[in-house]
Amino acid sequence: MLGLSRRSFLASSALAAAAGLDARVMISSAFAQNTAEPAKGYYKYNVGAIQVTALYDGIWEKPHDPGFIKNASVEETKEALARASLTTDFVPIPLTVVVLTINGRHVLIDSGSGGGQWQPTAGKLARNMAAAGLDPREVKTILISHFHPDHIFGLMEKGTNKPTFPDAELIVTSTEYKWWTEPGRVEKLPEARKALGQRIQSVFPQWKNFTLVEGEKEVAPGLRLINAPGHTPGHAAYLVASGNHQLMISNDTAYVPALLAPHPEWQGAYDQDGPLAVATRKALIERVIAEKMMVCGAHFPFPGAGVFQKDGTAFAFTPVLA
Ligand SMILES: [Zn+2]
């Protein structure tokens, strides 16, 4: 499926020409992506007195691969995507980053994937942050859910690894930080993760602005860390509470809900400890249903928030923002 119409192709060429850009560059990058961009790359909503700004970083149009989900076939994956009215040509994995504004202070949840460091169809966080009127220099706290590329590469500049947010406090679970930076870790990682492990080990221990957290601590007013291990050993979710309102920032616990709401037992290549990730996912979804809470996730459809309901022995996800 080619989501770009002839009209928008012509419009992007005309825009490129008007902006004095090389039209050939614009055309090739436009054709590299099938999924339409959101009309607006940011979306603001409130949880009580806390403002949430969802920022679109981009999408990974992941080619189908039999190794993607250990206990499901490519056909079953396609069936789940079709039932959610998504394309079956590839697995659409969008990426959304959240900023919370609490008493005028901006708290960023993860850092996006960084320009040109993850997928060519992502790395749009900085642009959408500016469009939303947020100045990255005013971000003084960053909560990091886990150390996968799409969540941490936005902390480091491409090539130099210079910190993008040198003045921000970086909060992460002690488990996650210690696991990735432990001596001998890189050698034990699977081949596909070795480069990530090397980058983490060569950069993060030099930085002095990490705060390591143990337990389910309140990390900012109205914001509590929730342990959600399995996707990675120290993966964290975050619970936002203000007045009678709550939002669970689930990060990668429910990954792509089109796949994992109807099949919470699926163990993906993205989950480091499959059985633990499944148990954590089921418990977190049961909790948000019991507490009638809105949920957002890094790989939910933009702008990323919705509700879960029981559906037999599995779940159904309904986006609530558009
Ligand atoms: Zn992720």
Side-chain angles (χ1 to χ4, degrees), residues 216-277:
E216 300 200 321
K217 235 185 114 184
E218 190 174 54
V219 287
L223 185 54
R224 185 171 296 282
L225 188 151
I226 304 291
N227 286 318
H231 183 68
T232 62
H235 178 270
Y238 291 99
L239 178 61
V240 183
S242 175
N244 295 325
H245 303 272
Q246 292 191 103
L247 168 72
M248 181 67 81
I249 302 176
S250 64
N251 296 319
D252 280 11
T253 309
Y255 206 62
V256 172
L259 304 178
L260 298 183
H263 304 286
E265 75 288 0
W266 279 4
Q267 296 175 27
Y270 40 81
D271 287 329
Q272 200 168 306
D273 181 335
L276 181 59

Side-chain angles (χ1 to χ4, degrees), residues 32-54:
Q33 184 174 332
N34 294 285
T35 311
E37 293 286 297
K40 204 171 73 175
Y42 66 93
Y43 191 98
K44 293 181 192 251
Y45 57 100
N46 288 300
V47 177
I50 298 176
Q51 186 177 63
V52 184
T53 307

Side-chain angles (χ1 to χ4, degrees), residues 3 27 57 77 149 162 174 212 218 226 251 258 261 295 299:
I27 291 162
D57 187 74
T77 308
K162 237 180 91 192
S174 173
L212 308 187
E218 190 174 54
I226 304 291
N251 296 319
V295 192
H299 304 295

Side-chain angles (χ1 to χ4, degrees), residues 95 146 148 150-151 231 252 255 298-299:
L95 178 59
H146 65 296
H148 278 171
D150 47 328
H151 301 261
H231 183 68
D252 280 11
Y255 206 62
H299 304 295

Side-chain angles (χ1 to χ4, degrees), residues 74-103:
V74 168
E75 278 318 304
E76 288 170 311
T77 308
K78 286 184 179 176
E79 272 169 38
L81 292 172
R83 272 200 301 272
S85 305
L86 294 171
T87 179
T88 57
D89 294 350
F90 48 82
V91 183
I93 305 180
L95 178 59
T96 297
V97 175
V98 162
V99 178
L100 304 173
T101 305
I102 306 171
N103 302 329

